[in-house]
Amino acid sequence: MGWAIKGELILNCNCTVFCPCVVSLGKHQPTEGYCQAWLGVRIDEGHADDEDLSGLNVGMMIDIPGNMGRGNWTAGAFIDERANDAAYEALVEIFSGQRRGTTGLFTMLVSTFLGAERAAITYENEGAKRRLTVGKKIIGEVEPIAGGNPDEEVKVVNTQYWMGPDITIAQANKGRVRAFGRVWDFEGRSAEICQIDWKG
């Protein structure tokens, strides 16, 4: 039966301007020469085999020493504490790439997977703002940048980016990480919002 996830993803990284990886597909250097990021996923509809994943949230921490496309990533995951054991295991397998499909590239790019932890994760929308809290480990809020037409989000569309083809350009109002030995703060830095439709 495989797996599928539909929902929304937010990401905040240490790039000072919009992440060059979206359009260069990881070939261009991050603006600081390395990439550190947190992300959150809100699963609106999802399943892994017979297990329902709808309504659950996932957080991740990613640390990349250079170009995204060259790999050697370090990553750790946070799985919604509301997930039962079967859903937890399935989400760990999906977000570590073991279940192949959309996230299968993680098996090639992530050389150190620090494992997963259960956590209280909230993903909230307030107007255009999106907020992610993973206990005290990740406290983030991102907001789309202003465009010429205030009613439309500024987007990069029709990309080949792994998360999805259309990326809303955003900025972090908050971006604090205290997890897996990392202490980061990316307030004011690059952020992305993406509607996801992943499967494997």
Side-chain angles (χ1 to χ4, degrees), residues 2-200:
W3 66 273
I5 286 175
K6 286 185 181 180
E8 185 175 82
L9 179 150
I10 57 173
L11 180 148
N12 169 215
C13 68
N14 65 316
C15 282
T16 49
V17 294
F18 182 61
C19 166
C21 299
V22 173
V23 285
S24 75
L25 301 180
K27 295 185 183 79
H28 193 284
Q29 283 281 102
T31 68
E32 308 307 284
Y34 56 90
C35 173
Q36 297 170 330
W38 60 265
L39 65 84
V41 172
R42 185 192 71 222
I43 302 171
D44 297 329
E45 295 174 41
H47 70 86
D49 301 324
D50 291 329
E51 194 60 42
D52 187 17
L53 304 176
S54 306
L56 298 174
N57 301 312
V58 176
M60 281 192 85
M61 179 283 303
I62 299 172
D63 198 347
I64 305 171
N67 287 29
M68 184 180 266
R70 288 193 191 142
N72 203 20
W73 299 14
T74 297
F78 297 98
I79 309 296
D80 200 316
E81 65 182 8
R82 296 172 299 149
N84 64 29
D85 289 347
Y88 173 86
E89 292 300 333
L91 286 168
V92 172
E93 289 171 1
I94 289 167
F95 281 85
S96 62
Q98 297 171 55
R99 286 238 176 179
R100 306 192 182 280
T102 306
T103 55
L105 67 127
F106 284 176
T107 57
M108 297 178 286
L109 296 173
V110 177
S111 54
T112 307
F113 183 63
L114 299 172
E117 298 176 8
R118 287 184 184 271
I121 305 176
T122 60
Y123 187 121
E124 300 169 313
N125 290 44
E126 183 190 321
K129 294 176 183 172
R130 277 75 158 181
R131 291 193 193 101
L132 179 80
T133 0
V134 179
K136 294 182 179 175
K137 306 286 178 77
I138 301 174
I139 297 169
E141 179 184 281
V142 306
E143 186 172 14
I145 64 169
N149 176 352
D151 298 325
E152 275 185 41
E153 294 179 341
V154 180
K155 288 186 176 182
V156 182
V157 299
N158 192 32
T159 74
Q160 295 182 56
Y161 199 41
W162 70 271
M163 294 188 329
D166 301 338
I167 308 293
T168 296
I169 301 174
Q171 193 173 39
N173 299 329
K174 290 179 187 168
R176 293 200 298 277
V177 176
R178 302 281 185 281
F180 294 110
R182 274 77 176 167
V183 180
W184 299 337
D185 188 349
F186 302 143
E187 180 182 335
R189 304 262 173 146
S190 172
E192 302 162 22
I193 302 167
C194 180
Q195 306 310 308
I196 60 171
D197 186 358
W198 297 350
K199 54 182 72 70

